[in-house]
């Protein structure tokens, strides 16, 4: 039976119900969504696998603390409105999280069903009820009466949007300043349409605006206004959520050749500027026949799968460790494999080779081997002498990581930062070194995940609320963070 048709029949409750997907041969040529949502029948079958544990472990695996058994119980009762309002008590972006959260590493990892068989597919169920709500039109309870306090949020990614919605629900007047022309952060400029349709992001941004949040696009804080200017304009607190949008490079010879993109530039052109719909949208993109993508995370996979859809004949991921160490989501790795993306593991580029016009025509790489795991349990890749090999490629996309956007840090005197420009915060409160200035998401952790950014937004929202109600926070800044 094709995977996409596997349903949860009552005979085997240890197996999760598969979500249907577009056929790999078809989907590798279009930007339509790969994973299709559950039908009602599939959702009910999957929900029936949840044991409604009296002592549920899944909730502690969710960075925003959704009452998972409670929302699944509503699904079992076909009370989908009840299910979505239960989720929305904690999460304002459920249709997004249901699609891109690494549930297998979080809530689903703790699911009791996973001890004997497959965990309940919590993310797919979350998506199911969020999509029903989106189709019907999201209803918004009238926002609380404004309490007279104003909070500025800098950056409209998942962290900023979470703080904005949580505080708006408590009656604060919120203004979100966003450098780009649309809200969503990486959700709109990084993650491609075929994983996260932009209408889904827009519907959730619209919901947050309908809570009373004012959105100011095209507003680069640090240039248009500084953080001090925001206080001078009468804001009572500021939350900084500017993300990690600066690409890292390898610093090897030839990296500036034509035909070599940073993943950021490539994905921004494709997703935000919609070059996959050129010429209806005006931004073009050039993708050659043989593409190499350097890196092993979600960003590398998204770049590779976009390049394939834009007409490349072959796309290879070049990763210096093995498949087991790839930081990308397992589901996305196997989706990419099904689509025909090739993987060259234990390989690291040494230099890029130009043609006579300065266009990349090849890449010399060295084969790596992994050392014994160190104290942290991670093996180190080391080069094997004499293993240099040439690979002929005409397009390269470098996706080896991102660092924090620096403008707010540079223009805010007294704002303490850690190495790499990460803003130092108290992890329990989100407070920075400055009074009434909070930060969260990738800018305060280094590149991480949508749900961790939202989790840190929730912590900061609670602290800002406490502060503005008159209970002052104690500041104890972190001195280091674990970056991914
Ligand atoms: P961002 O999403 O980066 O948002 C920051 C916002 O601040 C941006 O809109 C930016 O324009 C704005 N901004 C920056 N500077 C200023 C300024 N000075 N003034 C005003 N606005 C400013 N995570 C997952 O959980 N699952 C995935 O599948 C996944 N895939 C990913 C794929 C890609 C290609 C990328 C790049 C990341 C992916 N991630 C994924 C990671 C995840 O998207 C991020 O961890 C998350 O978006 C961080 O949220 P944030 O709000 O901190 O920052």
């Amino acid at each position: 039976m094709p995977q996409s048709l596997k349903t949860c029949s009552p005979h085997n409750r240890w197996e999760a119900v598969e979500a249907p997907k577009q056929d790999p041969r078809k989907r590798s040529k279009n930007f339509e969504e790969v994973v299709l949502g559950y039908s009602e029948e599939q959702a009910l079958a999957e929900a029936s696998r949840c044991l409604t544990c009296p002592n549920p472990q899944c909730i502690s695996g969710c960075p925003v603390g959704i009452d998972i058994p409670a929302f699944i119980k509503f699904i079992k009762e076909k009370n989908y409105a009840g299910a979505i309002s239960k989720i929305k008590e904690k999460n304002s972006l459920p249709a997004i999280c249901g699609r891109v959260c690494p549930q297998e590493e979080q809530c689903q990892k703790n699911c009791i069903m996973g001890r004997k068989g497959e965990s309940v597919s919590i993310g797919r169920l979350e998506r199911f009820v969020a999509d029903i709500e989106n189709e019907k039109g999201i209803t918004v309870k009238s926002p609380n009466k404004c309490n007279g306090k104003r909070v500025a949020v800098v950056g409209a990614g998942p962290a900023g949007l979470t703080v904005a919605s949580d505080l708006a629900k408590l009656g604060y007047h919120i203004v979100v300043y966003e450098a780009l022309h649309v809200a969503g952060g990486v959700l709109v400029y990084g993650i491609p349409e075929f994983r996260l349709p932009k209408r889904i992001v827009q519907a959730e941004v619209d919901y947050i605006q309908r809570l009373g949040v004012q959105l100011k696009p095209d507003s680069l804080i640090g240039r248009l206004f500084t953080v001090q200017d925001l206080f001078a304009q009468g804001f009572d607190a500021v939350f900084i959520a500017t993300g990690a949008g600066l690409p890292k490079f390898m610093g090897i010879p030839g990296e500036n050749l034509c035909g070599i993109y940073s993943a950021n530039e490539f994905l921004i052109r494709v997703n935000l500027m919609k070059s996959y719909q050129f010429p209806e949208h005006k931004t073009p993109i050039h993708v050659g026949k043989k593409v190499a993508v350097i890196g092993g995370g979600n960003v590398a996979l998204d770049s590779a799968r976009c390049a394939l859809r834009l007409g490349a004949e072959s796309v290879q991921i070049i990763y210096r460790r093995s498949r087991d160490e790839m930081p990308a989501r397992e589901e996305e790795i196997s989706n990419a494999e099904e689509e025909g993306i090739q993987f060259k593991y234990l390989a690291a580029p040494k230099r890029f080779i130009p043609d006579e016009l300065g266009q990349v025509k090849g890449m010399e790489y060295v084969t790596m081997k992994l050392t014994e795991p160190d104290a942290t349990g991670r093996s180190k890749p080391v080069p094997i002498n004499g293993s240099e090999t040439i690979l002929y490629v005409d397009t390269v996309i470098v996706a080896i990581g991102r660092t924090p956007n620096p403008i707010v840090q540079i223009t805010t005197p007294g704002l303490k930062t850690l190495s790499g420009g990460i803003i130092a915060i108290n992890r329990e409160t989100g407070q920075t070194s400055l009074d009434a200035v909070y930060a969260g998401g990738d800018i305060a952790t280094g590149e991480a995940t949508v749900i961790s950014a939202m989790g840190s937004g929730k912590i900061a929202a609670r602290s800002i609320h406490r502060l503005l109600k008159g209970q002052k926070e104690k500041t104890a800044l972190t001195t280091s963070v674990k970056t991914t």
Side-chain angles (χ1 to χ4, degrees), residues 99-102 153-161 177-180 182-192 195 219-223 241-245 264 267 271 298-300 302-303 329 332 402 405 407-408 440-443 446-454:
R99 285 169 166 82
V100 301
C101 270
V153 173
V154 185
L161 292 174
Y177 294 92
E178 167 54 50
L180 297 173
V182 279
V186 168
L187 308 174
V188 288
Y189 81 71
I191 303 181
R195 279 215 294 136
S219 305
L220 182 67
I221 298 303
R223 293 286 181 267
T242 45
N264 267 51
L267 291 172
N271 299 317
N298 287 319
V299 184
D302 284 344
S303 304
R329 293 186 66 194
E332 301 306 344
R402 301 169 296 126
N405 291 324
I407 296 176
V408 173
D442 285 4
I443 194 69
E447 49 182 328
T449 61
V450 171
I451 196 75
S452 65
M454 293 176 67

Side-chain angles (χ1 to χ4, degrees), residues 9-227:
S9 45
H11 65 266
N12 188 359
R13 69 190 316 249
W14 299 111
E15 265 186 37
V17 179
E18 290 282 347
K21 286 190 217 168
Q22 260 199 83
D23 180 90
R25 275 164 309 180
K26 201 173 151 209
R27 73 181 191 236
S28 61
K29 295 186 175 51
N30 69 50
F31 274 78
E32 282 151 40
E33 197 165 14
V34 167
V35 182
L36 312 169
Y38 276 155
S39 64
E40 183 175 21
E41 185 198 1
Q42 288 169 321
L44 290 171
E46 185 59 14
S48 74
R49 299 178 62 240
C50 175
L51 301 172
T52 322
C53 305
N55 180 18
Q57 303 298 305
C58 48
I59 301 177
S60 62
C62 172
V64 297
I66 296 173
D67 187 343
I68 294 163
F71 99 75
I72 295 181
K73 188 163 177 288
F74 278 125
I75 296 182
K76 289 182 197 173
E77 293 160 359
K78 297 193 183 183
N79 180 352
Y80 306 129
I84 195 68
S85 45
K86 184 48 75 184
I87 294 172
K88 281 201 163 163
E89 285 173 7
K90 296 291 169 77
N91 181 352
S92 295
L93 308 173
I96 294 167
C97 292
R99 285 169 166 82
V100 301
C101 270
Q103 291 97 2
E104 62 285 357
E105 295 298 324
Q106 296 176 330
C107 51
Q108 290 177 199
K109 197 172 184 179
N110 294 352
C111 172
I112 307 285
M113 288 293 281
R115 295 190 186 161
K116 266 195 163 182
E118 289 178 348
S119 301
V120 174
S121 297
I122 298 165
R124 287 176 189 155
L125 291 172
E126 181 181 28
R127 171 184 167 164
F128 169 73
V129 283
D131 284 357
I132 291 182
E133 194 198 31
N134 273 341
E135 270 160 37
K136 283 196 176 150
I138 303 176
T139 50
V140 178
K141 284 190 208 140
S142 54
N144 288 353
K145 206 165 150 268
C146 186
N147 64 16
K149 303 270 184 194
R150 300 176 71 212
V151 178
V153 173
V154 185
L161 292 174
T162 300
V163 167
S165 66
D166 281 15
L167 289 178
K169 285 178 193 163
L170 291 168
Y172 291 90
H173 177 73
I174 310 293
V175 181
V176 180
Y177 294 92
E178 167 54 50
L180 297 173
H181 60 282
V182 279
V186 168
L187 308 174
V188 288
Y189 81 71
I191 303 181
E193 183 75 15
F194 55 82
R195 279 215 294 136
L196 180 60
K198 302 310 151 221
R199 66 182 160 77
I200 298 289
V201 181
Q202 192 54 52
E204 301 210 326
V205 170
D206 288 348
Y207 161 72
I208 289 169
Q209 285 185 269
R210 282 163 58 207
L211 290 173
V213 170
Q214 205 182 336
L215 186 63
K216 298 232 184 230
D218 301 313
S219 305
L220 182 67
I221 298 303
R223 293 286 181 267
L224 181 66
F225 306 123
T226 62
V227 168

